[in-house]
Each structure stands twice: as structure tokens, then as C-alpha cells.
Amino acid sequence: MDFQVVVLAGGFSKKLVPLVSKEVPKALLPVANRPVLSYVLELLEQSNLKDLIVVVEGEHAALLVGGWISGAYVDRLHVEVAAVPEDIGTAGALRAIAHHLTAKDILVVSGDLVSDVPPGAVAAAHRRHNAVVTAMLCSAPVSGPAESGSSGGKDKTKKAGRYNLIGLDRSKQFLLYIATGAELENDLRIQKSILRAVGEMEIRADLIDAHLYAFKRTVLQEILHQKDTFQSLKEDLLPYLVRSQLVGPHCMLGEGSQMGDKCSVKRSVIGRHCRIGSNVKIVNSIIMNHVTIGDGCSIQGSVVCSNVQLQERVVLKDCQVGAGFVVIAGGEYKGESLAKKEK
């Protein structure tokens, strides 16, 4: 299927002390007398996903995990064990090994996932929808997700901050909104552009993220490079992609293009690998490939050719902008043709 698989196996997790030790990292903790990592590896093997990068925090933990895999899965899987620094988060771990990713699509799975859903089914759904990202969600336990450091008790399950809010379309196939417990406030804010595009959204509080994702590689690598402050896949990268996926009715968004917050795009075509800042309005326009649009720009009834740079707060109405042209910040143009002067 031309998928690479990244297994995020953790390291010597401080949260699991004293269960983990210098000789038993998180990935090798026994579950039903088997290292927890074995469940994921065998699921992947059953789906014929055998090209794996197992990412481990810390050199010593990586040596232990690599040694176990070599003995248990010799001639069964093609596994590269990559050591990354500790405490850099899931997005940071992917960023550290991003240069090793070469396949069209990347499957990212937590090393402690025990599931009866074949990862191959998630990969197939990702390909079927030609998605930028696909996430697997599952029903939350009746008692609610475990809270780190808590000793249990009925009162713990009533804390709203421990739940995720998930927004789905009518078909329950498209992820429209996601907020983690730490982000939840009294007021729930939904982008109007999303509601206009889908008509109806179902908000669920009974689903949890299973930490199994499929990404389009080019988009994943670009976001990890540009958003170097992102540390968590669940809390940073996934919500960013969900916010960026809908660009308004009757629109087309090319591969690798990204949009900032609070953008409005209507009846327009956006080319490939464009960078669109925050608070940008685009109406009845064509934006070709590799265009950079700064924050606060307004474009209406215009054609912007490839490799153009619009700096901040540019206003274009009924204009044509030639390839490679740079429009200086704050410029306002109406009914004009902007192009480089020929030498």
C-alpha cells in the first residue's frame, strides 16, 4: 500500500515508575505476559504493514527495545529502531525522524495500543478518501478516561476537563472539530465556515482518540517543519489540520497548501503548496501554485500567478498578479495588472 509505519514506543516513562526501570522501558512492560509493544507489531504484521520505524525515547531504551525486536521478529518485519531525545512529545518525535519518511502516506500508532481494529482498515479508509489525515476514534470507557496521578473514585469521572469534544458530520466519517480536555471552556466556539460547508455537526463527548493516525507524508513533513512549536499530535497537530481542512463552499484546495486561523475562502481555487496566513479573505479568485499570502490580506475577483508573494494587509480587487511578483505590505490595488518589469 506504499505506507510507512511509525510506532511511537516511548521510553522510561516517569508516570509509570516504579513499574518501568532501567532494564524495562515502557514498550516492554508485560500485558497478559507479553510486552505491550508485541500487540501493535502483530496487528501491523497481520495487515501486511511490515516497513516500520519504532521510535524510542533515549539511547539506552532504544537498545533494549531493538534487541527484543531483533530476537522476536527476525525475518518477519523490517524494523528500524530510532532513538530520539526524551520529553519532546509525539510531534517532536516525528519531527526528529521526519527525514526518514519517504512513502506517500504515513501510519502513526502508539506503541501501547491494544486493539481489535486492523491498522490496515484505517490505512485503506485513508486512501479511499484521499485524506490528509485519518484518525481512529473509539468509545470512551464507562468510567471515563483515566486521569494521571489519580487514585480513582466516582467524583473523578464527573470532571468535564477529562473529556474530549469531537465534532462529526452526518455520516460520522469526517472529523470537523476536536478539543482536548485542557482546552475546554464554558463556551464552545465553532468556525462558521465549517457549519456552512457541512450544514450540520454532531458534537460527541463519549469518544476518545485511539492514537492511530494516517497522514499524507508531504503535508505532515511541511507542518512539522513550519510549526516547530508543536509538541503533541493530539493537542497541536491534529486540531490544526481539522481547522484547516474546510475552505468554504465551491472551493478547491491543492495538495500541500495550508491556511492560518480565521480565513474565509469562497468560490475560489487554491493551487498546490500555498501558504495563506491568518485573517485572510479570498472571494471569486484563482490562486496558483506556491503563493504566499500574508496575514490580513483581502483578495476579490483576482488571479494570482505562481510564486507570488503578498505581504501583510494587501488588498486586491479585480486584479491580475504576474508570476513571481512581490506585493509590498499594505498595498491596495483595484483593476490593475501587476507584473515584473522585463529587462
Side-chain angles (χ1 to χ4, degrees), residues 21-128:
S21 67
K22 290 184 178 180
E23 301 306 320
V24 183
K26 175 183 175 181
L28 301 184
L29 280 176
V31 173
N33 295 328
R34 290 169 47 188
V36 64
L37 183 59
S38 68
Y39 292 91
V40 167
L41 297 185
E42 293 189 11
L43 270 177
L44 293 168
E45 184 182 28
Q46 290 166 12
S47 291
N48 201 32
L49 294 165
K50 299 181 179 181
D51 183 10
L52 317 180
I53 301 176
V54 176
V55 182
V56 184
E57 295 182 1
E59 294 284 350
H60 181 58
L63 286 173
L64 293 173
V65 173
W68 172 77
I69 291 175
S70 296
Y73 292 92
V74 62
D75 297 329
R76 292 171 59 184
L77 299 173
H78 178 261
V79 180
E80 175 185 355
V81 177
V84 299
E86 297 181 3
D87 301 322
I88 61 174
T90 51
L94 275 182
R95 188 180 293 110
I97 59 99
H99 58 288
H100 290 289
L101 305 179
T102 57
K104 178 181 177 182
D105 294 290
I106 309 297
L107 197 69
V108 180
V109 56
S110 175
D112 59 3
L113 177 66
V114 179
S115 171
D116 57 359
V117 178
V122 177
H126 181 75
R127 281 287 172 83
R128 185 166 61 251

Side-chain angles (χ1 to χ4, degrees), residues 26-266:
K26 175 183 175 181
L28 301 184
L29 280 176
V31 173
N33 295 328
R34 290 169 47 188
V36 64
L37 183 59
S38 68
Y39 292 91
V40 167
L41 297 185
E42 293 189 11
L43 270 177
L44 293 168
E45 184 182 28
Q46 290 166 12
S47 291
N48 201 32
L49 294 165
K50 299 181 179 181
D51 183 10
L52 317 180
I53 301 176
V54 176
V55 182
V56 184
E57 295 182 1
E59 294 284 350
H60 181 58
L63 286 173
L64 293 173
V65 173
W68 172 77
I69 291 175
S70 296
Y73 292 92
V74 62
D75 297 329
R76 292 171 59 184
L77 299 173
H78 178 261
V79 180
E80 175 185 355
V81 177
V84 299
E86 297 181 3
D87 301 322
I88 61 174
T90 51
L94 275 182
R95 188 180 293 110
I97 59 99
H99 58 288
H100 290 289
L101 305 179
T102 57
K104 178 181 177 182
D105 294 290
I106 309 297
L107 197 69
V108 180
V109 56
S110 175
D112 59 3
L113 177 66
V114 179
S115 171
D116 57 359
V117 178
V122 177
H126 181 75
R127 281 287 172 83
R128 185 166 61 251
H129 293 291
N130 191 29
V132 169
V133 60
T134 302
M136 186 172 81
L137 306 174
C138 61
S139 298
V142 174
S143 60
E147 186 171 31
S148 62
S150 69
S151 58
K154 293 182 180 179
D155 291 341
K156 295 292 184 181
T157 64
K158 297 180 181 179
K159 290 189 176 181
R162 297 182 59 217
Y163 292 91
N164 299 324
L165 290 185
I166 304 292
L168 301 174
D169 75 320
R170 294 177 186 175
S171 69
K172 297 180 175 58
Q173 293 294 309
F174 295 97
L175 184 59
L176 305 175
Y177 180 86
I178 183 169
T180 62
E183 298 173 322
L184 299 183
E185 301 174 352
N186 293 331
D187 296 327
L188 181 62
R189 299 181 180 182
I190 305 292
Q191 289 175 270
K192 289 182 180 179
S193 60
I194 291 179
L195 294 177
R196 284 196 300 264
V198 300
E200 181 180 312
M201 182 192 303
E202 179 182 355
I203 298 293
R204 302 278 296 271
D206 60 340
L207 299 174
I208 59 174
D209 184 346
H211 302 144
L212 174 57
Y213 314 104
F215 293 98
K216 186 170 290 187
R217 175 185 58 82
T218 54
V219 175
L220 176 63
Q221 288 175 322
E222 287 172 1
I223 294 176
L224 289 173
H225 175 70
Q226 293 182 3
K227 304 292 183 179
D228 56 3
T229 60
F230 282 4
Q231 290 188 315
S232 169
L233 293 178
K234 176 182 177 181
E235 298 179 11
D236 297 319
L237 194 143
L238 185 59
Y240 174 80
L241 282 173
V242 170
R243 289 194 304 269
S244 303
Q245 68 178 322
L246 294 170
V247 294
H250 310 295
C251 292
M252 180 179 294
L253 182 66
E255 179 181 359
S257 290
Q258 298 177 18
M259 302 175 61
D261 294 332
K262 298 180 180 178
C263 287
S264 175
V265 182
K266 299 178 181 178

